[in-house]
């Protein structure tokens, strides 16, 4: 196999050129604190071609936050491939359209509440948006997921979201565990080969999800050590600290692993407006109202 001397002049010249002129443009997450701690190819501006994991208990809001990241990527002109294993494309579209345009979620939901005027405004706002691809059918194996990710990249996508990891296959707990490890390993390779940003959603294992006295850790990821080891960034929504006042919710996003920068002690406060599902970072002087 061909070798490279990392102390040789040829490599040193290449290193200096690549570091001074990075080929990958970071994608802001929309959360200033999270952007700042993404160093290396993230340049303190957001995610580079990294494999990222966002974990949380069912129903805590990890899909909503992930769709907020997707919306931010689209705003920056990134084409996104959505591997949606948890909900139908109608359900996905309803939530994402609300987040992306600021339309009230209830105005876009099915039935008598559907608002034709609000929909016309949403559709107009979407006219110049970068593409968001989703499969027409159900991807039922990790092989199909990888094939679809590559097809999205071939179509111009450099941002992929998988929602969520443990639905990559069905069967016994052992087979789900094995397939989870396989898809994580393959997505890691996909990131390195294509320089795409990939966000995977995950659940905690049983001990992590049931413990409401202690904050979850990266060791609580369902799928074992391989998930933590393969990811550049592991984020977790802290189910021990959740508050809701009216139509607003406050969550804490924990940075459990960051291969390319520091960890934020205590986490990042995230405020979610449930009328539109829009997420934003809570400001320090606002946190007092939450008690």
């Amino acid at each position: 196999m061909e070798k490279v001397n990392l102390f040789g002049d040829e490599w040193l010249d290449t290193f200096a050129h690549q570091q001074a002129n990075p080929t990958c443009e970071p994608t802001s997450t929309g959360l200033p604190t999270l952007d700042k701690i993404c160093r290396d190819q993230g340049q303190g501006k957001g995610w580079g071609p990294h494999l990222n994991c966002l974990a949380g208990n069912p129903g805590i809001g990890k899909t909503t936050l992930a769709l907020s990241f997707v919306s931010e990527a689209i705003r920056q002109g990134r084409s996104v491939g959505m591997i949606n294993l948890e909900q139908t494309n109608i359900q996905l579209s309803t939530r994402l359209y609300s987040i992306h345009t600021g339309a009230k979620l209830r105005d876009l939901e099915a039935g008598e509440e559907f608002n034709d005027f609000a929909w016309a405004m949403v559709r107009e706002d979407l006219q110049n948006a970068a593409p968001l691809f989703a499969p027409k059918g159900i991807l039922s194996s990790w092989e199909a997921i990888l094939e679809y990710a590559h097809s999205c990249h071939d179509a111009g996508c450099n941002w992929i979201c998988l929602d969520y990891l443990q639905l990559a296959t069905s069967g016994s707990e052992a087979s789900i565990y094995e397939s989870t490890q396989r898809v994580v390993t393959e997505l890691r390779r996909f990131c390195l080969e294509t320089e795409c940003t990939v966000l995977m959603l995950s659940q905690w294992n049983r001990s992590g999800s049931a413990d409401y006295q202690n904050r979850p850790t990266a060791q609580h990821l369902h799928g074992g050590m391989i998930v933590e080891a393969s990811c550049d960034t592991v984020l977790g929504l802290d189910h021990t600290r959740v508050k809701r006042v009216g139509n607003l919710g406050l969550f804490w996003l924990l940075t459990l692993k960051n291969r390319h920068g520091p960890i934020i002690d205590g986490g990042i406060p995230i405020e979610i407006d449930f009328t539109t599902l829009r997420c934003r970072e809570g400001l320090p002087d606002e946190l007092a109202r939450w008690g």
Side-chain angles (χ1 to χ4, degrees), residues 51-55 162 164-166 176-188 199-205 217-235 256-259:
L51 179 61
N52 309 290
C53 181
L54 171 62
L162 169 59
Y164 63 89
L165 191 56
Q166 285 73 40
I176 292 174
Y177 188 90
E178 181 180 351
S179 294
T180 297
Q181 295 191 324
R182 189 61 183 268
V183 73
V184 168
T185 302
E186 293 295 334
L187 283 175
R188 175 71 184 172
L199 173 63
M200 308 180 302
L201 275 63
S202 177
Q203 292 190 357
W204 307 119
N205 57 30
T217 68
Q219 289 73 36
H220 289 131
L221 287 168
H222 189 291
M225 179 64 181
I226 191 65
V227 181
E228 179 187 358
S230 297
C231 290
D232 294 282
T233 305
V234 177
L235 306 171
L256 305 177
K257 177 188 175 182
N258 185 10
R259 183 174 280 143

Side-chain angles (χ1 to χ4, degrees), residues 6-28:
L6 299 184
F7 282 3
D9 286 339
E10 182 178 356
W11 171 256
L12 295 176
D13 291 341
T14 300
F15 173 85
H17 177 76
Q18 290 186 352
Q19 293 295 79
N21 304 279
T23 57
C24 295
E25 184 178 355
T27 305
S28 172

Side-chain angles (χ1 to χ4, degrees), residues 157-213:
C157 290
N158 51 13
W159 217 101
I160 303 289
C161 180
L162 169 59
D163 184 13
Y164 63 89
L165 191 56
Q166 285 73 40
L167 291 178
T169 188
S170 59
S172 66
E173 186 170 346
S175 66
I176 292 174
Y177 188 90
E178 181 180 351
S179 294
T180 297
Q181 295 191 324
R182 189 61 183 268
V183 73
V184 168
T185 302
E186 293 295 334
L187 283 175
R188 175 71 184 172
R189 181 180 302 171
F190 173 80
C191 284
L192 294 174
E193 291 176 348
T194 64
E195 295 192 327
C196 283
T197 298
V198 175
L199 173 63
M200 308 180 302
L201 275 63
S202 177
Q203 292 190 357
W204 307 119
N205 57 30
R206 290 182 181 178
S207 63
S209 63
D211 187 354
Y212 277 78
Q213 302 301 316

Side-chain angles (χ1 to χ4, degrees), residues 14-274:
T14 300
F15 173 85
H17 177 76
Q18 290 186 352
Q19 293 295 79
N21 304 279
T23 57
C24 295
E25 184 178 355
T27 305
S28 172
T29 63
L31 304 178
T33 299
L34 183 56
D35 285 351
K36 289 178 182 177
I37 64 174
C38 298
R39 305 303 306 171
D40 289 343
Q41 289 173 303
Q43 303 171 51
K45 300 177 181 177
W47 281 330
H50 299 157
L51 179 61
N52 309 290
C53 181
L54 171 62
N57 271 355
I60 195 173
K62 59 182 180 293
T63 297
T64 297
L65 183 56
L67 292 181
S68 179
F69 293 149
V70 168
S71 176
E72 285 293 330
I74 292 172
R75 291 182 194 283
Q76 295 163 69
R78 310 290 192 266
S79 297
V80 176
M82 190 78 194
I83 305 173
N84 179 38
L85 306 177
E86 187 179 30
Q87 45 189 340
T88 68
N89 284 342
I90 286 288
Q91 293 168 332
L92 168 68
S93 299
T94 303
R95 300 174 74 176
L96 186 57
Y97 294 162
S98 180
I99 292 169
H100 195 70
T101 67
K104 292 181 179 180
L105 182 64
R106 69 184 184 203
D107 288 341
L108 303 179
E109 291 180 331
E112 296 180 358
E113 294 290 334
F114 184 78
N115 187 309
D116 289 325
F117 177 76
W119 169 239
M121 299 297 293
V122 166
R123 187 159 186 170
E124 182 177 349
D125 286 346
L126 296 173
Q127 290 302 306
N128 297 316
L132 172 70
F133 297 108
K136 288 185 177 180
I138 300 298
L139 302 179
S140 57
S141 68
W142 66 263
E143 294 95 339
I145 288 171
L146 266 296
E147 181 180 354
Y148 177 75
H150 279 283
S151 71
C152 287
H153 178 255
D154 292 342
C157 290
N158 51 13
W159 217 101
I160 303 289
C161 180
L162 169 59
D163 184 13
Y164 63 89
L165 191 56
Q166 285 73 40
L167 291 178
T169 188
S170 59
S172 66
E173 186 170 346
S175 66
I176 292 174
Y177 188 90
E178 181 180 351
S179 294
T180 297
Q181 295 191 324
R182 189 61 183 268
V183 73
V184 168
T185 302
E186 293 295 334
L187 283 175
R188 175 71 184 172
R189 181 180 302 171
F190 173 80
C191 284
L192 294 174
E193 291 176 348
T194 64
E195 295 192 327
C196 283
T197 298
V198 175
L199 173 63
M200 308 180 302
L201 275 63
S202 177
Q203 292 190 357
W204 307 119
N205 57 30
R206 290 182 181 178
S207 63
S209 63
D211 187 354
Y212 277 78
Q213 302 301 316
N214 301 293
R215 296 177 188 174
T217 68
Q219 289 73 36
H220 289 131
L221 287 168
H222 189 291
M225 179 64 181
I226 191 65
V227 181
E228 179 187 358
S230 297
C231 290
D232 294 282
T233 305
V234 177
L235 306 171
L237 286 171
D238 184 1
H239 49 266
T240 70
R241 292 186 295 171
V242 178
K243 296 184 178 182
R244 181 162 181 168
V245 177
N247 290 322
L248 297 178
L250 181 68
F251 303 80
W252 290 86
L253 181 66
L254 305 174
T255 53
L256 305 177
K257 177 188 175 182
N258 185 10
R259 183 174 280 143
H260 305 287
I263 299 294
I264 302 298
D265 290 337
I268 302 169
I270 307 295
E271 187 176 274
I272 299 181
D273 182 344
F274 291 108

